[in-house]
Amino acid sequence: MTDTKNLTQLGTNVEAPQSPEAAVLETVPFSRGDGPPAIVRFTCPEFTSLCPVTGQPDFAHIVIDYAPDTLLVESKSLKLFMTSFRNHGAFHEECTVMIGRRIIAATKPLWLRIGGYWYPRGGIPIDVFWQTGVPPEGAWLPDTGVAPYRGRG
């Protein structure tokens, strides 16, 4: 059975963090076993942050794939972390990479990639992609499933 005694957010009523810096990413132990590494995917199709210049909301579809080594991200803490960006002003590129780096700091995975598919700002959609290196050998990496932005057509 997975050891969850150190989790402070799961199963309790927790206020959304006021900033990504204040958010706590919790982890649980993971046993990889033999064979190729597992790939874990988190999809956040309604991600929101703020434009650092205008304060207007920005929206994105975020897809995170990672190959855990000995720790998994606890999903409620990830949801709270992602929600904390609603009050955070930063450009698309900074938000996307910051999410990836925080997951790496918390879990020390074998590999991670993140895709931020941002909805148009000023008529231009911005897609941001970042990964830690070459994917692990033998790992199954499905397409992210996010279609390129095509407007109304």
Side-chain angles (χ1 to χ4, degrees), residues 6-9 17 20-28 42 64 71-82 84-85 98-107 112:
N6 294 325
L7 297 177
T8 63
Q9 300 173 93
E21 295 80 14
V24 175
L25 277 176
E26 295 188 326
T27 61
V28 293
F42 291 111
I64 304 159
L71 296 171
L72 298 170
V73 175
E74 192 283 308
S75 64
K76 181 176 181 180
S77 73
L78 180 68
K79 291 172 198 171
L80 290 166
F81 171 61
M82 300 296 270
S84 73
F85 281 86
M98 179 185 200
I99 294 165
R101 287 189 171 143
R102 282 290 302 275
I103 293 170
I104 290 167
T107 66
L112 178 139

Side-chain angles (χ1 to χ4, degrees), residues 36-121:
I39 299 296
V40 176
R41 173 170 289 170
F42 291 111
T43 304
C44 185
E46 298 176 349
F47 181 83
T48 307
S49 67
L50 298 176
C51 172
V53 177
T54 67
Q56 294 296 310
D58 287 322
F59 303 94
H61 185 142
I62 305 286
V63 179
I64 304 159
D65 292 321
Y66 76 106
D69 187 12
T70 61
L71 296 171
L72 298 170
V73 175
E74 192 283 308
S75 64
K76 181 176 181 180
S77 73
L78 180 68
K79 291 172 198 171
L80 290 166
F81 171 61
M82 300 296 270
T83 299
S84 73
F85 281 86
R86 290 182 180 165
N87 299 317
H88 181 71
F91 290 114
H92 302 336
E93 298 84 352
E94 182 183 347
C95 288
T96 304
V97 174
M98 179 185 200
I99 294 165
R101 287 189 171 143
R102 282 290 302 275
I103 293 170
I104 290 167
T107 66
K108 307 202 180 3
L110 302 171
W111 174 82
L112 178 139
R113 76 174 174 189
I114 183 168
Y117 301 86
W118 293 83
Y119 294 95
R121 177 198 287 174

